[in-house]
Amino acid sequence: MSKIAVIGTGYVGLTTGVCFAHLGHEVICADIDPEKVDALSRGEVPILEADIDRLLAEARQAGRIRFVLGATNAAAECEFAYLCVPTPQGDDGSADLSYVEAAAREIGPVLPTGAVVVNKSTVPVGSTRVVERALGRSDISVVSNPEFLREGSAVSDFLNPDRVVIGSDHQDAAIRVASLYVGVPAPLMVTDPASAETIKYAANAFLATKLSFVNGIAAVCEAVGADVNDVVLGMGYDQRIGREFLRPGPGWGGSCFPKDTRALARIAEDAGYDFKFLRGVLDLNDEQFERVAAKVCDMVGESIEGRKIAAWGLTFKANTDDLRDSPAIEVLKRLSEQGASIRAFDPAVHGPVAELPGVEVVADPFLAVDDAEVLVVLTEWDEFKWVDLDKVADLMRRRQVLDARNLLDRSMLVRRGFNYRGIGRS
Ligand code: UDX
């Protein structure tokens, strides 16, 4: 079993640390935020992530995980140092590498001889070299080991991945990183750093492409009177297409897809290739926010100014409390700008949302719909399916639902006199 330092305890770092400890390694996680370090040391998990509390408790009890302030305190005794710091979007769409470089510069002087530095942050192609330079150590190998973790199911994605990708020019370092994954049932591929880094961007951009395509198909379905739910079912039976990631919605968001898709377009441009198609994928997503907002306006009729709208869902998808680049926020921003009076409910959001200053966030789904003219469903939370529709019908001023996730039972709503509209279906 190995000694692993994890630098950064965001959802990628924390999941990586906890899962490696679960696999039997000795893990020290570092962060720059003292409050976070204290909370994690007490076993308190700051993110909504299935199973992570349980695995953290087990690892703490077994003495296999510790949390410390500052990267050097974690890196001084490690055999592997995983960089899991953020790579936010820079002003020009490219990924900002300053946190990765700063972390590498900080741990460079203290890493034991022969340690391996592993990049898990999503970094532009060529960043392995940047990390090597920032470390300033010829005895340290740098390996790229991108993450493919979905928020909400990150633990299960880590322990049962579709694949593990390792990119390195040093075969011995790649083999050492591969050995950390003993017990993980997945194909493991070793490639060069540039290919490993490109795999991560290409995978995310492809999934985003699939979603923009499906949202485009939904628009076609509306125009020709087809039902997108049946269309994607029929498409998904084709094993070359697959059933996953074919649900239309209000657009895609989250901390990865928008940032990584823009970054790949930028990487291509910098490398002299104009990836027009990818820009189209991004444009289609912005269009989708507009389309959903326009549908709400259409259902209200005339001006939306001062009209009461209810929203269910604020997070970028269900089973997370993450609001970063949430399609729900994009749609509500557009409605708010046109003067709509909005009340929103989300099971994971308590209190106001900074990007939506005019929107009142309420504590239950009924308060949101009270006196509203349209209810717009923006996140696919399971619990929305079980809300008492008779009560919703009684409370609303007009019985109208725009189901931007095609989540609710259309016939149950129609039976109660609702004007129901979905995405890609009437
Ligand atoms: C994503 C990738 O899936 C993961 O591999 C990567 O490492 C990080 O980015 P995540 O951001 O957690 O994970 O979200 P994901 O579950 O992929 O969903 C992204 C967006 O697409 C959400 O807004 C979601 O609602 C939307 N989506 C997803 C759809 O609209 N329809 C679908 O069928 C699937």
Side-chain angles (χ1 to χ4, degrees):
M1 290 299 145
S2 303
K3 286 187 177 175
I4 303 175
V6 176
I7 316 301
T9 57
Y11 101 100
V12 172
L14 187 58
T15 305
T16 302
V18 167
C19 289
F20 274 139
H22 176 75
L23 292 173
H25 301 293
E26 199 181 308
V27 177
I28 305 181
C29 294
D31 206 283
I32 50 168
D33 178 348
E35 279 176 27
K36 207 168 175 187
V37 170
D38 285 347
L40 286 164
S41 300
R42 291 192 300 268
E44 291 163 20
V45 177
I47 50 171
L48 188 64
E49 196 59 65
D51 290 335
I52 209 156
D53 306 60
R54 182 173 59 79
L55 260 54
L56 175 60
E58 283 171 15
R60 286 176 70 237
Q61 204 165 20
R64 282 201 295 266
I65 197 163
R66 281 192 294 135
F67 296 90
V68 297
L69 193 61
T72 49
N73 289 325
E77 293 165 38
C78 73
E79 296 163 77
F80 298 89
Y82 266 80
L83 300 181
C84 301
V85 295
T87 47
Q89 189 177 298
D91 295 338
D92 59 356
S94 64
D96 174 358
L97 269 185
S98 52
Y99 292 102
V100 175
E101 281 187 83
R105 262 198 304 274
E106 203 180 331
I107 63 172
V110 302
L111 282 169
T113 305
V116 176
V117 172
V118 190
N119 218 338
K120 240 204 185 337
S121 304
T122 302
V123 289
V125 183
S127 299
T128 301
R129 304 275 168 265
V130 174
V131 173
E132 276 167 1
R133 273 199 299 278
L135 285 168
R137 292 268 303 265
S138 57
D139 61 323
I140 305 283
S141 309
V142 181
V143 172
S144 163
N145 175 208
E147 53 85 13
F148 302 97
L149 309 175
R150 283 166 300 177
E151 289 188 27
S153 58
V155 167
S156 121
D157 287 347
F158 190 100
L159 296 173
N160 297 289
D162 289 336
R163 76 308 211 177
V164 174
V165 174
I166 296 171
S168 178
D169 290 328
H170 310 279
Q171 207 185 359
D172 54 329
I175 291 168
R176 284 175 63 197
V177 172
S179 72
L180 299 176
Y181 287 91
V182 167
V184 171
L188 198 142
M189 72 172 279
V190 176
T191 180
D192 60 274
S195 301
E197 288 157 354
T198 306
I199 287 168
K200 170 67 201 248
Y201 280 109
N204 271 358
F206 183 78
L207 291 169
T209 301
K210 212 171 169 186
L211 294 178
S212 275
F213 182 85
V214 160
N215 286 333
I217 291 294
V220 173
C221 287
E222 282 167 23
V224 301
D227 184 326
V228 75
N229 283 9
D230 287 348
V231 171
V232 296
L233 184 66
M235 284 167 66
Y237 278 121
D238 187 324
Q239 289 181 19
R240 294 167 303 174
I241 296 171
R243 292 178 194 195
E244 300 282 331
F245 262 72
L246 284 182
R247 270 193 339 267
W252 40 268
S255 65
C256 290
F257 281 2
K259 171 171 81 73
D260 292 353
T261 310
R262 278 188 212 112
L264 181 57
R266 182 71 206 196
I267 289 166
E269 194 182 324
D270 289 349
Y273 173 58
D274 182 8
F275 208 158
K276 288 196 196 77
F277 169 81
L278 210 52
R279 285 194 274 111
V281 168
L282 285 157
D283 289 347
L284 243 153
N285 203 39
D286 285 339
E287 249 174 52
Q288 192 67 1
F289 306 145
E290 295 287 346
R291 283 174 56 80
V292 172
K295 274 171 187 276
V296 175
C297 295
D298 190 47
M299 287 174 93
V300 170
E302 296 167 24
S303 164
I304 195 166
E305 184 151 16
R307 311 289 281 269
K308 286 188 181 162
I309 307 295
W312 284 357
L314 289 165
T315 55
F316 83 93
K317 65 173 186 178
N319 306 317
T320 177
D321 54 2
D322 200 336
L323 293 164
R324 283 177 291 176
D325 271 323
S326 171
I329 291 179
E330 289 299 328
V331 170
L332 295 181
K333 223 191 263 171
R334 284 160 174 77
L335 295 174
S336 202
E337 276 161 14
Q338 293 176 59
S341 160
I342 304 168
R343 273 188 177 171
F345 166 72
D346 188 293
V349 182
H350 315 286
V353 174
E355 295 96 319
L356 297 172
V359 172
E360 189 186 350
V361 179
V362 294
D364 81 64
F366 301 113
L367 273 175
V369 298
D370 191 11
D371 206 31
E373 296 192 54
V374 179
L375 161 63
V376 53
V377 179
L378 292 165
T379 311
E380 73 283 26
W381 285 101
D382 233 15
E383 40 262 74
F384 294 159
K385 290 194 264 188
W386 322 123
V387 177
D388 179 347
L389 291 179
D390 290 322
K391 200 166 164 188
V392 173
D394 285 346
L395 284 168
M396 289 185 76
R397 177 189 290 225
R398 289 165 75 191
R399 297 180 181 180
Q400 302 204 90
V401 174
L402 173 59
D403 184 2
R405 294 280 184 172
N406 292 350
L407 178 79
L408 304 183
D409 187 327
R410 176 172 54 184
S411 55
M412 299 258 278
L413 284 158
V414 172
R415 221 179 300 144
R416 286 167 176 79
F418 278 89
N419 168 23
Y420 174 93
R421 283 175 73 181
I423 298 289
R425 65 207 294 243
S426 54

